[in-house]
Amino acid sequence: MTIPSDEPVAEETRPVTLPDQVPSGTWGGEPMDEPLIAGYGGTLCEITVSGIICGHQAERLIREANIFNPSPDAGNEFILISVTMRRLSESHALRTSPHDFHLRGGDEDYRNVFARMPPTHPHYPDSIPSPEDEVSGWLLFEVPSGRDLTLVWSPLGDPAGFIHLGRGGGDELAERIPGPILSPGTPFIYMDARKSNELSIMYQYSTFRSSFTYESDQGLVSQSARDGSKYLLTCLQVTHRGNHDGLYYLAEIPRISAFTLYGPETIYTPVEMPGRRSDHISLGELYTETILERKENKQGFLLFEVPDDFTLDDAYLGVIPLKETGEVFWTL
C-alpha cells in the first residue's frame, strides 16, 4: 500500500517508480491475490482486479462488439481487465474514470484503447462514487505479447497504487507460427506467379456442424462427424483485384491442399469428398480450386473434422498462396 501526501499535485505526470512489494495475481480470469488499499487526496479506496482476458480471445470479443473496432498491431495483443473500485472513507469526493489506470511494462506505459465494448464487458465508467459505493467495469489495453505488466492507479495523473498482473499472452501456438497473423475479414493481397494479376484471399468466419448432405454419383449422401468429433466450416473469399501487364488476365486461386488448420496440439487438413457432383452441400458452397477472370471472386467453405472440445480461441487458419509469399495465418 502506498498513500501519497495531501500536497498539491503537479500538472505533469510524475515518473512511475514501482515498489518492491505489490499485490500480484494470475491470468486466465482468476481473481488477483488481494485487493489494493490506496489513498489519494485524503480519500481511501479499495481497488480489485477480478479478471483478465487476453490474446485472441480478447481480440474476438472486441471484434464482435463492432466491426469498426481496431485490431492490435502485429506482435501486440489486446488485454481486457475487470476492475472494481470502492470508496472506504467519507472525506473528499473523488472522481474516477478509465483515465485513472494505465499499464506499466518494463520502461513503457500503455494507455486505454477506447473502442465499443460488448454488453457483457462494459467500460469502466466515469463517475463520482459515494462512500461504500462500488464502481466496476472493464479496461482495454494494447500491449506487446508476453510483456510482464503492472496496473497503475493514477488519479489525476499521480501514481497512487500498483497491482502486479504478471506476464500476459502466453499463446505458445502463436509464438510458433512463423508468418503474419491477420484478423478475420483482413485480406492478404499478393501477385500471382506470373506477376500479372493482383489477388486477395480473406478468411471471413467459421461455424460448427455435426452433419450435412450432398449429391454424389451414387445419389444423395448423408455424412456425419465421427463420435467425439464435429465439423468446422471456415468461409473464404478469393478476389481477382485486377491485371497489371495487359497480357495474362486469368489467375489460379490457391489449391485446397494449400490450407491448414492449426489447433493447440494438432494440425488438420481439409476434408475432401470423392464423387461429389457439385460444389454445393446442404451447408452451402464449398471452396474449390478454380481460375478467376479479372474482377471475379470465389467464396466458399473449407471443411475440417475436429474434436468436440475444439474452440476457435485455440486455432489459426494457414494458407500458402504461393511459395514466394510463404504461409499466411488468420485467427479464428
Side-chain angles (χ1 to χ4, degrees), residues 28-316:
E30 296 297 326
M32 300 297 102
D33 291 343
E34 57 182 298
L36 168 71
I37 308 297
Y40 185 83
T43 300
L44 198 63
C45 299
E46 178 187 85
I47 298 172
T48 306
V49 172
S50 58
I52 298 177
I53 302 173
C54 59
H56 53 275
Q57 184 181 0
E59 183 179 348
R60 192 177 72 169
L61 278 171
I62 297 304
R63 184 177 66 247
E64 290 175 351
N66 191 298
I67 60 173
F68 298 107
N69 277 341
S71 297
D73 293 336
N76 289 358
E77 64 177 332
F78 281 148
I79 290 182
L80 284 160
I81 302 175
S82 177
V83 174
T84 297
M85 190 190 84
R86 183 165 65 96
R87 274 187 60 188
L88 300 180
S89 66
E90 298 186 7
S91 54
H92 307 289
L94 179 67
R95 177 177 290 277
T96 182
S97 80
H99 298 287
D100 293 343
F101 299 90
H102 68 271
L103 287 180
R104 181 78 168 172
D107 296 327
E108 298 294 330
D109 287 324
Y110 304 99
R111 302 290 172 176
N112 284 272
V113 175
F114 287 92
R116 180 169 294 181
M117 301 285 276
T120 52
H121 298 73
H123 266 301
Y124 185 89
D126 188 324
S127 66
I128 303 177
S130 300
E132 297 302 322
D133 277 357
E134 289 189 351
V135 177
S136 298
W138 290 82
L139 304 170
L140 175 63
F141 300 93
E142 181 181 350
V143 300
S145 298
R147 184 64 56 90
D148 192 70
L149 298 168
T150 295
L151 182 67
V152 183
W153 180 49
S154 304
L156 299 180
D158 190 37
F162 312 89
I163 299 178
H164 181 227
L165 304 179
R167 185 172 296 278
D171 192 337
E172 296 178 0
L173 175 60
E175 292 174 1
R176 297 199 305 268
I177 287 181
I181 302 177
L182 305 176
S183 301
T186 303
F188 176 73
I189 300 172
Y190 65 100
M191 297 295 292
D192 67 1
R194 292 179 181 269
K195 307 299 180 186
S196 300
N197 303 292
E198 183 178 279
L199 295 97
S200 69
I201 182 166
M202 177 175 62
Y203 161 72
Q204 296 181 307
Y205 65 91
S206 291
T207 185
F208 292 105
R209 293 291 187 273
S210 59
S211 62
F212 59 90
T213 59
Y214 66 95
E215 288 285 344
S216 74
D217 296 337
Q218 288 73 42
L220 186 66
V221 175
S222 177
Q223 184 161 321
S224 298
R226 294 170 293 183
D227 288 344
S229 298
K230 60 186 175 182
Y231 290 117
L232 169 65
L233 291 88
T234 61
C235 184
L236 303 167
Q237 180 171 300
V238 184
T239 302
H240 189 314
R241 294 167 57 92
N243 175 265
H244 285 232
D245 64 3
L247 298 174
Y248 304 101
Y249 289 88
L250 303 180
E252 295 181 0
I253 69 173
R255 299 172 179 269
I256 294 177
S257 59
F259 294 90
T260 307
L261 175 66
Y262 292 84
E265 299 178 355
T266 307
I267 296 174
Y268 304 88
T269 55
V271 174
E272 297 196 48
M273 293 165 284
R276 190 181 70 244
R277 281 188 174 180
S278 74
D279 296 344
H280 290 270
I281 63 174
S282 58
L283 303 178
E285 185 173 355
L286 295 177
Y287 177 93
T288 53
E289 302 158 15
T290 189
I291 295 176
L292 297 180
E293 296 185 2
R294 189 166 62 93
K295 302 301 182 180
E296 280 189 330
N297 68 74
K298 171 69 176 179
Q299 181 172 304
F301 289 106
L302 287 175
L303 186 67
F304 298 92
E305 189 172 9
V306 297
D308 274 336
D309 60 358
F310 190 94
T311 69
L312 300 183
D313 292 335
D314 300 323
Y316 294 86

